[in-house]
Amino acid sequence: MVLNRGLFITFEGIDGSGKTLQLELLTANLEKAGLKYLLIREPGGTSISEQIRKILLDRKNIEMSAETELLLFAAARAQLVKQIVKPALAEKTIVISDRFFDSTTAYQGYGREMNVNFIQNLNDFAIQGLSPDLTFYFDVSVETALGRLKDRTEKSDRIDLESQNFMERTRSGYLKIAERNPDRVRVIDAERDPEEIFKDLKLQFDKILNLVK
Ligand code: Z5A
């Protein structure tokens, strides 16, 4: 694969899947190897998108409608893509994002049971022709995820307060996304120990780095 721009990699999974821990392990590894990368998270990553993040995750905003939530995630992403991701990729940077458009399809589309086709069109509008080169989806059962999160109740945000059924629908949404995008989405069994998961992730990541070198 020869890319005339940098590499865009996204990490996805339900809350408690351990993707953030894996991101930390991966970026520590990239630093050791002296590779330049840009780490971003969604929603967020620009001043405007971080302001939107606060509104989205604030537990006080319980009255937020599903439509408002969807549009705010899309708005935060549109700003991030235009202001940060596209310029970084044009400079051949490796951009790694903790969540991207699959989160909207999985959480708002499948979790909230909104129209998935409409959401995909909205995602397309927000990303202006950009798509990740590779997505790592960390798959865990809802029971495992909840077990990992049980000590985190005080830090819970508005979306963390959703029901177990919502999490089940979101997880099965992710599995559908992976099935429909086999070239882009790699499913990682995230039920294992962090070290074992990382070995798997690193192997796959190194392969893609070698391909674009
Ligand atoms: N959201 C949305 O609805 N629509 C969208 O379009 C977008 C997002 C972009 C953002 O929250 C929320 O917005 C998120 C989805 C929604 N809500 N939910 N729910 P965030 O950015 O604050 O957080 P997050 O991305 O959901 O998750 P996180 O806090 O970064 O957690 P994580 O990545 O799932 O896992 P972790 O922090 O790496 O691990 C969780 C715990 O498990 C921690 O104590 C670890 O030490 C432990 N852990 C990790 N791996 C393991 C293994 N392998 N074994 C045992 N224990 C482990």
Side-chain angles (χ1 to χ4, degrees):
M1 180 173 12
V2 178
L3 294 179
N4 57 4
R5 61 161 174 83
L7 197 59
F8 185 31
I9 303 211
T10 58
F11 277 42
E12 295 282 355
I14 57 172
D15 196 23
S17 61
K19 65 181 167 44
T20 303
L21 176 64
Q22 294 300 320
L23 260 170
E24 285 165 10
L25 296 173
L26 182 69
T27 50
N29 217 269
L30 290 177
E31 264 155 43
K32 244 204 269 167
L35 282 167
K36 251 185 76 185
Y37 67 89
L38 174 69
L39 177 64
I40 51 175
R41 68 164 179 192
E42 272 235 71
T46 72
S47 164
I48 291 172
S49 312
E50 289 291 336
Q51 291 174 61
I52 297 174
R53 177 186 178 89
K54 277 202 189 110
I55 298 171
L56 274 165
L57 300 186
D58 191 338
R59 293 169 65 147
K60 283 192 258 115
N61 289 334
I62 40 162
E63 76 274 28
M64 186 180 295
S65 76
E67 291 78 8
T68 304
E69 178 184 275
L70 171 64
L71 293 170
L72 285 175
F73 277 118
R77 178 164 312 125
Q79 189 64 33
L80 179 68
V81 165
K82 199 157 200 170
Q83 193 180 330
I84 303 284
V85 182
K86 281 195 163 180
L89 290 174
E91 287 179 12
K92 304 209 168 194
T93 307
I94 299 171
V95 180
I96 307 174
S97 186
D98 190 347
R99 300 192 177 282
F100 197 59
F101 61 6
D102 293 323
S103 285
T104 311
T105 309
Y107 278 81
Q108 281 63 53
Y110 291 99
R112 295 242 184 269
E113 300 179 292
M114 297 178 84
N115 185 315
V116 170
N117 287 335
F118 173 75
I119 288 176
Q120 280 164 349
N121 288 334
L122 183 67
N123 284 344
D124 288 345
F125 176 70
I127 62 178
Q128 307 149 57
L130 176 78
S131 179
D133 298 299
L134 189 65
T135 297
F136 292 108
Y137 162 58
F138 294 85
D139 185 51
V140 278
S141 68
V142 171
E143 290 71 26
T144 299
L146 288 174
R148 290 178 187 169
L149 296 173
K150 66 178 181 311
D151 301 327
R152 239 184 32 178
T153 41
E154 289 147 45
K155 284 202 290 166
S156 304
D157 59 48
R158 191 179 56 83
I159 295 169
D160 291 333
L161 301 176
E162 284 299 332
S163 67
Q164 192 161 339
N165 282 343
F166 174 88
M167 284 179 81
E168 295 283 4
R169 288 194 298 273
T170 304
R171 181 195 182 198
S172 71
Y174 269 125
L175 289 168
K176 283 184 193 132
I177 294 168
E179 205 180 293
R180 285 178 198 149
N181 298 276
D183 292 341
R184 174 176 65 83
V185 182
R186 304 281 151 84
V187 180
I188 305 245
D189 171 7
E191 293 278 342
R192 299 169 290 167
D193 288 341
E195 300 73 29
E196 242 186 286
I197 299 169
F198 184 63
K199 248 194 241 163
D200 192 355
L201 170 67
K202 185 159 177 335
L203 200 75
Q204 302 211 36
F205 193 85
D206 286 349
K207 266 192 214 154
I208 186 109
L209 275 188
N210 284 332
L211 280 176
V212 296
K213 265 181 201 160

